[in-house]
Amino acid sequence: MKPALLRRLILAILFLLAVVAVAGGVWRYGYVQALAQLAQRGESDLTLATDRLTGQLQLYQQLAVLTSDHPAVRTALQVGDAGDLRDLLLASADKTAALDVFLADAQGRVLASANATEPANVAAAPYFTRALQGALGEHHGISASSGLRTYYFAAPIFGPGEQVAGVLVVVANIDRVESEWRGARPTVFFTDDRNEVFISNRSELLFWKQRADGGLAPADGPDPDFATQHVGGYDLWLTDWSPYVPVRALHLYKDLPIIGMRAEALIDVDPARRLAALQAAAVAGVFLAFGAFLFLATERRRTLAEANARLESRVQDRTKELSAANIALRHEVAERIAAEAALKKAQADLVQAGKLSALGQMSAGISHELNQPLMAIQQYAENGSAFIIRGKTYKAAENLRRVSDLAVRMSRIIKNLRAFARNESEPVGKVDLVQVIDTAVELTAARLKADHVTLDWDPSAYGGPILARGGEVRLTQVFVNLINNAADAMLDQVDRHIRIDIDIGAKLAVSVHDIGPGIKEPDKVFEPFYSTKTVGSSEGMGLGLSISYGLVQSFGGNIRGANGPSGAVFTVELDHWQEEEAA
């Protein structure tokens, strides 16, 4: 083999090895970055799952505490006769979907039970022993009579001398608790102090035990395939447990001392691997293209160098062409960088554009709202001048008072418009939810009136401010978008009505109801550019709900859309404002 050919072959091999190394590095970096994003979303999903479980169990805990103070329960303990107490316990169990509710005396004898799922004496039960000590007893296990997974809450009932006279026990059916989120993503399971899976949204994992290497295995049966990997500080589980459990998953966990369990989640990492592979392939393609280009240029230069001097002019022409191509390539890179910068700015301005779009849609109604007071001010001013000339000062004073009232009304409208239109950049803080909805209602009032849409909203029903965690202007934009969307949905029908309610619970939930045709695809309603309006219409581009979704997420809240009994219902969930947040 000629030395020149051998040298080119070695250089080509070294170049390919360099491309493989760079692509591998890009894949590794992209994979770790994608895992970080998956971990962040997975932590949120795991927190949501744990909050949902603890919230549902706390309902039964509160039922036990509240029912233990019922006069009928205390009377039954005092006289030693349960009487009609079973009807009360049965009603409580039916209304809360509890498996059983029963009353036991201080010796553990069951005096009355809603469904009689437990033995006649529970003196040896851990939850009963704890309740006898004056504390709230909790325990979970398998019911001996029904074979169901149960969670017990036992509330002590104090008699004379602050002694425990009895115990009120609520038995929660874990299958019922799981039914609302079984099969949801990601895979979530809860292990107890026995390292056994007691609760999961994948029923095939129930009662599996923790292995020494951290994985899971059935209590009775062969150990399934399991291995672990550590990538970029993250733990990956390699499993072959079920078609519904990811084969390669990011493992996250969170201790729950409140219920004595540990929450764990398995997040599918295949999307992250595919994304990293695409990034690595793109980089490798760029390098290979550049290498091929460089190789061809080198070969061309070598051929031209060996050619006759008469081809020297052609070599110079070719060099100029290559230089021009290189300059064009640089210009293209610069244009792409500028395009990326413009895209980022467009994304940053999207929220503001959404507000201005809403203002544009409401401009005709707002102009009418301002024009009416202006015409009335002119009329009252002319009348007042005439009354002063006639010496009727009391009539003139009345006209001036009306002029003042109209000026205040115009000032309020303009103030709301200026606040709504400004580009809010303040951090999340304390806002009055009632005032925010009032502002949104006032901003959309003209449009609703023009379209003959009635609005049912009564701020006085809530007795004062309701403090939430959010941004006033951005939250106003969310409700303006929801009200406008509800009005748009009913334009093709005669009856048009919107109702706004606030549900004050563990979270603040604001619901906007309409009586329109409903949502055809609830799963896609928050996707950008999704719209049910006619293509090419000027009503909007389908960004309002997508913007609202991002704004509510930035407050740590949630927004969802569903079909109600008649029409669509959009619900915005927000956190209560806690004073310690301001510390």
Side-chain angles (χ1 to χ4, degrees), residues 205-233:
L205 300 182
L206 290 176
F207 307 118
W208 284 31
K209 287 187 173 293
Q210 204 93 33
R211 305 193 330 180
D213 56 2
L216 299 176
D220 50 350
D223 287 353
D225 293 336
F226 175 79
T228 60
Q229 288 181 350
H230 300 281
V231 178

Side-chain angles (χ1 to χ4, degrees), residues 59-78 85 88-89 92 101-104 131 134-137 153-159 163-170:
L59 292 177
Y60 296 106
Q61 181 190 65
Q62 294 170 1
L63 174 64
V65 174
L66 294 176
T67 307
S68 66
D69 287 335
H70 197 283
V73 174
R74 294 186 174 276
T75 301
L77 284 176
Q78 291 174 0
L85 183 60
L88 171 65
L89 301 181
S92 299
V101 181
F102 63 88
L103 174 67
L136 181 66
F153 294 98
I157 305 173
F158 296 96
Q163 297 295 322
V164 177
V167 175
L168 194 285
V169 182
V170 173

Side-chain angles (χ1 to χ4, degrees), residues 222-280:
D223 287 353
D225 293 336
F226 175 79
T228 60
Q229 288 181 350
H230 300 281
V231 178
Y234 299 101
D235 289 334
L236 302 184
W237 282 16
L238 309 180
T239 70
D240 189 15
W241 295 344
S242 162
Y244 305 104
V245 178
V247 176
R248 182 180 283 102
L250 173 64
H251 176 241
L252 303 174
Y253 66 90
K254 181 178 182 181
D255 291 326
L256 301 176
I258 296 178
I259 59 175
M261 293 188 184
R262 170 173 160 149
E264 302 184 55
L266 297 177
I267 314 297
D268 191 1
V269 300
D270 280 347
R273 291 173 61 86
R274 288 194 295 269
L275 178 60
L278 288 175
Q279 293 172 341

Side-chain angles (χ1 to χ4, degrees), residues 138-160:
E138 296 184 15
H139 185 66
H140 63 272
I142 306 298
S143 173
S145 58
S146 64
L148 297 173
R149 289 171 294 145
T150 54
Y151 204 103
Y152 301 88
F153 294 98
I157 305 173
F158 296 96

Side-chain angles (χ1 to χ4, degrees), residues 128-135 156 158 164:
F128 181 81
T129 305
R130 177 64 175 166
L132 282 182
Q133 299 173 0
F158 296 96
V164 177

Side-chain angles (χ1 to χ4, degrees), residues 359-437:
L359 286 175
Q361 293 179 9
M362 299 184 295
S363 60
I366 293 171
S367 298
H368 182 70
E369 285 292 306
L370 293 176
N371 190 46
Q372 278 190 332
L374 283 173
M375 294 177 63
I377 287 174
Q378 179 183 3
Q379 185 66 39
Y380 286 138
E382 292 174 354
N383 291 344
S385 177
F387 284 133
I388 291 175
I389 293 173
R390 297 174 186 175
K392 297 182 180 181
T393 56
Y394 67 96
K395 286 285 189 178
E398 182 179 352
N399 278 266
L400 290 176
R401 179 184 56 77
R402 292 177 179 176
V403 168
S404 176
D405 292 342
L406 290 171
V408 170
R409 175 185 172 188
M410 292 179 62
S411 175
R412 186 176 67 251
I413 294 173
I414 294 173
K415 177 182 178 182
N416 288 337
L417 287 174
R418 291 177 63 188
F420 181 74
R422 75 173 185 261
N423 193 354
E424 182 188 50
S425 60
E426 292 82 3
V428 174
K430 175 175 64 176
V431 296
D432 180 2
L433 195 54
V434 175
Q435 180 61 40
V436 167
I437 298 176

Side-chain angles (χ1 to χ4, degrees), residues 232-525:
Y234 299 101
D235 289 334
L236 302 184
W237 282 16
L238 309 180
T239 70
D240 189 15
W241 295 344
S242 162
Y244 305 104
V245 178
V247 176
R248 182 180 283 102
L250 173 64
H251 176 241
L252 303 174
Y253 66 90
K254 181 178 182 181
D255 291 326
L256 301 176
I258 296 178
I259 59 175
M261 293 188 184
R262 170 173 160 149
E264 302 184 55
L266 297 177
I267 314 297
D268 191 1
V269 300
D270 280 347
R273 291 173 61 86
R274 288 194 295 269
L275 178 60
L278 288 175
Q279 293 172 341
V283 171
V286 170
F287 271 81
L288 289 175
F290 178 76
F293 175 79
L294 185 61
F295 175 77
L296 292 176
T298 303
E299 285 297 304
R300 184 176 291 111
R301 286 176 178 269
R302 184 186 62 81
T303 303
L304 291 175
E306 294 176 353
N308 196 285
R310 291 175 300 178
L311 301 178
E312 195 170 353
S313 60
R314 296 182 181 179
V315 172
Q316 293 176 353
D317 294 339
R318 177 60 64 181
T319 302
K320 291 180 180 179
E321 292 178 4
L322 293 176
S323 299
N326 191 20
I327 293 173
L329 182 60
R330 292 180 180 178
H331 283 309
E332 183 179 351
V333 171
E335 290 175 359
R336 291 191 178 183
I337 293 175
E340 290 179 358
L343 177 60
K344 290 180 180 178
K345 184 178 184 301
Q347 290 173 339
D349 293 342
L350 183 58
V351 172
Q352 185 69 8
K355 291 191 287 188
L356 297 179
S357 175
L359 286 175
Q361 293 179 9
M362 299 184 295
S363 60
I366 293 171
S367 298
H368 182 70
E369 285 292 306
L370 293 176
N371 190 46
Q372 278 190 332
L374 283 173
M375 294 177 63
I377 287 174
Q378 179 183 3
Q379 185 66 39
Y380 286 138
E382 292 174 354
N383 291 344
S385 177
F387 284 133
I388 291 175
I389 293 173
R390 297 174 186 175
K392 297 182 180 181
T393 56
Y394 67 96
K395 286 285 189 178
E398 182 179 352
N399 278 266
L400 290 176
R401 179 184 56 77
R402 292 177 179 176
V403 168
S404 176
D405 292 342
L406 290 171
V408 170
R409 175 185 172 188
M410 292 179 62
S411 175
R412 186 176 67 251
I413 294 173
I414 294 173
K415 177 182 178 182
N416 288 337
L417 287 174
R418 291 177 63 188
F420 181 74
R422 75 173 185 261
N423 193 354
E424 182 188 50
S425 60
E426 292 82 3
V428 174
K430 175 175 64 176
V431 296
D432 180 2
L433 195 54
V434 175
Q435 180 61 40
V436 167
I437 298 176
D438 277 342
T439 302
V441 169
E442 191 168 63
L443 287 172
T444 56
R447 183 267 168 92
L448 298 183
K449 181 179 179 182
D451 289 341
H452 306 290
V453 180
T454 59
L455 178 65
D456 184 4
W457 159 246
D458 184 10
S460 62
Y462 303 99
I466 300 176
L467 301 182
R469 183 175 182 271
E472 183 175 354
V473 176
R474 287 174 287 174
L475 200 53
T476 302
Q477 180 182 0
V478 170
F479 292 116
V480 167
N481 287 343
L482 293 181
I483 294 174
N484 281 334
N485 281 353
D488 290 340
M490 298 182 291
L491 288 179
D492 295 333
Q493 61 190 53
V494 177
D495 295 331
R496 304 168 186 174
H497 181 72
I498 299 174
R499 187 177 84 252
I500 303 177
D501 299 316
I502 302 179
D503 183 15
I504 304 175
K507 282 183 173 290
L508 297 173
V510 182
S511 299
V512 180
H513 307 253
D514 64 51
I515 58 172
I519 308 173
K520 294 182 179 179
E521 298 176 291
D523 294 338
K524 296 183 179 180
V525 73

